[in-house]
Amino acid sequence: MGTPACLARKFLKTGLHKVKGVKQAIYRADIDKVSGWRVHVQYINGQIHLKDIIEGQRHDDLIEVIKSKKSRYE
């Protein structure tokens, strides 16, 4: 399954970006640029699901965060 057309571009207001390096359609967006907090959402069967909220200290290890919580991501 490819990236849905509605998620294929950068979202100007949310800064939603596809996470590279994972098979699933997982996207990230900054909650607060100063603190570094991020939200992860996943596109599944035509719906967007909130998967995680990542604290600022951990957001740089994006792939490791996803791998460590792989039961959360389909």
Side-chain angles (χ1 to χ4, degrees):
M1 176 188 332
T3 302
C6 67
L7 297 176
R9 66 190 193 296
K10 267 189 175 180
F11 284 75
L12 298 177
K13 289 186 179 183
T14 62
L16 194 64
H17 304 280
K18 185 167 187 335
V19 174
K20 295 179 182 176
V22 294
K23 291 189 291 187
Q24 305 95 324
I26 301 172
Y27 297 83
R28 63 172 175 80
D30 292 323
I31 294 172
D32 177 47
K33 287 233 182 235
V34 175
S35 67
W37 282 71
R38 285 192 177 153
V39 63
H40 288 177
V41 295
Q42 188 172 7
Y43 183 79
I44 305 168
N45 298 324
Q47 298 179 335
I48 296 175
H49 299 263
L50 174 63
K51 290 298 180 173
D52 210 351
I53 297 176
I54 309 298
E55 60 185 297
Q57 299 91 319
R58 298 206 57 212
H59 84 267
D60 287 335
D61 302 323
L62 181 59
I63 302 301
E64 292 303 317
V65 168
I66 292 171
K67 286 181 182 177
S68 71
K69 299 177 180 182
K70 69 177 164 180
S71 64
R72 188 176 292 187
Y73 298 89
E74 296 179 22

